Amino acid sequence: NKGKYEHYMQKEIHEQPESLTTTMRGRLKHGGSTKAKTVLLGGLKDHIKTIRRSRRILFIGCGTSYNAALAARPIIEELSGVPVTMEIASDLVDRQGPIYREDTAVFVSQSGETADTLLALEYALENGALCVGITNTVGSAIARNTHCGIHINAGCEIGVASTKAYTSQIVVMAMLALAIGDDAISSQARREAIIDGLFDLPNKVREVLNLDQEMKDLAKLLIAEQSLLVFGRGYNFATALEGALKVKEVSLMHSEGMLAGEMKHGPLALVDENLPIIVIATRDTCFSKQQSVIQQLHARKGRLIVVCSKGDAAAVCPGGSSSCRMIEVPQVEDCLQPVVNIIPLQLLAYHLTVLRGYNVDQPRNLAKSVTTQ
Ligand code: M6R
């Protein structure tokens, strides 16, 4: 049931304040005046010590689920101190990459039925790794065949383009980072700040959804473009990949997400006054580097659309907002910022698709659950 919405994708984008609340329900503990704020992940409680002691954590997934894991990677590394490697499921299987008994392999999948991810799971089980599932579907093959796991609880997702499952996956993995790092006194203040940020996240998401009309206006400007680049780094490299994936899969416009740190190693050659480029430049430790990326793109007359923190427009864009189009988003804890930042890009992909007259919930050639290799 689409309720007041025209399409499932639109409904699922707009219900993210609620889906995120459901994802966190019963899992965050406020702590009283004496108790510390903590996270409780029932499905992992017997395995958390093993995960903490593992030699390596591998994140394995496809498409949007892979991107969600990429967004969470920095906070998992920071709070666990365990090296994290990223694996696209099909590539891991193609290479038969080494996996050991001392590894924790985390399988991320909305449907829990993706054939590539399932094959990678079989492979990791054969090699003796501890296998953890992060899925949105109770009783799915990945949920059943992993040793332990966390349900995303985002609610049923119908649009082929994954939206609310993506933001809930990031929140689940941020909670996983908090749970793994729970025994370290040195990071307690950081963990508590993240927990406070999680409590407030649905409100911030509600706020960023107010950009709907602005993103529709931007979509009108971009409607006839052939191509769109999206640059991000750090926590928001994933935002660039995921924003570009959303645009290409539903609006059928060519779009590429790129690591801003790689800009000078090739992509800069594409920059001219015609190609639209989205740069993610919200406040975090990469901010000054992103400012210099913007200056370099500006010097080459790049057509810039910049996602920045609220109130930062003048500081971020060299010629002021007359030379760049600015999208201001609320600032949240750095590791949660990808949840906020993807929303204007989801809205852009949605409006571009509707304006271009394509099927937004059932893009051509795609299936919701990819059960064949
Ligand atoms: O169900 P899964 O999360 O395992 O699906 C993985 C990908 O097929 C999926 O995320 C795909 O990239 C989406 N259509 C993206 O919106």
Side-chain angles (χ1 to χ4, degrees):
N1 183 331
K2 294 198 278 272
K4 62 177 179 177
Y5 297 101
E6 278 178 57
H7 302 102
Y8 284 111
M9 182 181 180
Q10 184 188 29
K11 173 175 179 273
E12 287 159 4
I13 292 173
H14 285 274
E15 72 192 13
Q16 289 177 101
E18 292 74 39
S19 52
L20 289 168
T21 304
T22 320
T23 296
M24 292 186 276
R25 184 165 295 140
R27 290 168 161 172
L28 296 180
K29 301 288 164 226
H30 261 295
S33 49
T34 49
K35 283 199 200 140
K37 295 171 185 160
T38 50
V39 162
L40 197 83
L41 298 171
L44 287 193
K45 65 179 187 329
D46 297 334
H47 295 90
I48 210 81
K49 282 194 185 136
T50 316
I51 300 175
R52 207 173 270 153
R53 283 197 299 259
S54 21
R55 189 160 82 170
R56 172 173 73 144
I57 297 173
L58 291 104
F59 275 114
I60 301 161
C62 307
T64 290
S65 293
Y66 174 90
N67 293 342
L70 187 66
R73 178 195 205 175
I75 195 61
I76 301 260
E77 286 181 333
E78 180 190 327
L79 294 182
S80 72
V82 180
V84 176
T85 55
M86 300 297 307
E87 293 286 356
I88 291 181
S90 62
D91 187 49
L92 176 68
V93 173
D94 289 348
R95 289 177 2 251
Q96 299 280 293
I99 297 199
Y100 303 102
R101 299 180 65 80
E102 302 79 10
D103 287 331
T104 296
V106 183
F107 295 84
V108 187
S109 171
Q110 188 286 131
S111 61
E113 301 290 348
T114 301
D116 288 323
T117 313
L118 263 171
L119 274 175
L121 170 57
E122 272 170 32
Y123 175 69
L125 287 168
E126 279 162 21
N127 285 276
L130 174 70
C131 293
V132 181
I134 297 183
T135 77
N136 196 32
T137 317
V138 179
S140 62
I142 291 173
R144 281 186 277 111
N145 293 316
T146 40
H147 297 114
C148 56
I150 318 171
H151 285 296
I152 299 162
N153 286 342
C156 181
E157 192 181 65
I158 291 172
V160 165
S162 185
T163 52
K164 63 175 182 170
Y166 176 71
T167 49
S168 283
Q169 283 166 336
I170 297 175
V171 161
V172 159
M173 285 181 268
M175 292 194 291
L176 174 63
L178 292 164
I180 303 175
D182 199 34
D183 62 337
I185 305 282
S186 57
S187 59
Q188 187 169 332
R190 167 78 161 142
R191 290 198 309 274
E192 294 201 354
I194 296 170
I195 293 176
D196 289 341
L198 284 169
F199 275 117
D200 200 30
L201 195 58
N203 288 331
K204 301 292 187 196
V205 166
R206 214 164 272 125
E207 196 180 322
V208 77
L209 282 165
N210 290 329
L211 289 171
D212 191 38
Q213 185 58 46
E214 208 173 314
M215 300 319 295
K216 188 172 180 181
D217 294 342
L218 178 61
K220 283 181 191 156
L221 283 180
L222 298 180
I223 186 170
E225 295 301 333
Q226 298 280 334
S227 200
L228 174 71
L229 299 188
V230 191
F231 280 119
R233 72 197 309 150
Y235 286 105
N236 288 289
F237 173 35
T239 308
L241 295 186
E242 176 60 11
L245 176 59
K246 284 296 86 95
V247 168
K248 85 177 84 163
E249 80 174 313
V250 287
S251 82
L252 316 188
M253 180 185 290
H254 169 247
S255 179
E256 293 302 327
M258 291 174 178
L259 187 67
E262 281 288 285
M263 184 183 74
K264 289 186 219 156
H265 305 289
L268 199 52
L270 292 170
V271 178
D272 63 13
E273 61 276 29
N274 300 314
L275 175 68
I277 303 174
I278 299 180
V279 184
I280 317 290
T282 40
R283 291 270 172 176
D284 60 19
T285 50
C286 294
F287 178 66
S288 61
K289 289 185 182 168
Q290 283 302 74
Q291 272 182 308
S292 101
V293 162
I294 290 168
Q295 277 161 7
Q296 292 171 49
L297 292 170
H298 193 68
R300 286 161 185 84
K301 302 200 168 27
R303 224 178 117 193
L304 301 187
I305 300 148
V306 179
V307 178
C308 69
S309 302
K310 209 157 239 175
D312 252 356
V316 172
C317 203
S321 40
S322 55
S323 60
C324 313
R325 199 173 169 105
M326 308 301 297
I327 301 162
E328 295 193 34
V329 298
Q331 192 180 345
V332 295
E333 276 297 303
D334 51 9
C335 61
L336 306 177
Q337 196 68 51
V339 171
V340 168
N341 289 359
I342 194 59
I343 289 173
L345 305 184
Q346 293 173 343
L347 290 167
L348 176 66
Y350 170 76
H351 287 298
L352 263 178
T353 310
V354 174
L355 290 166
R356 283 159 71 97
Y358 295 120
N359 186 335
V360 72
D361 286 332
Q362 278 289 330
R364 72 176 181 207
N365 309 335
L366 297 183
K368 180 66 186 159
S369 183
V370 186
T371 51
T372 52
Q373 267 182 283

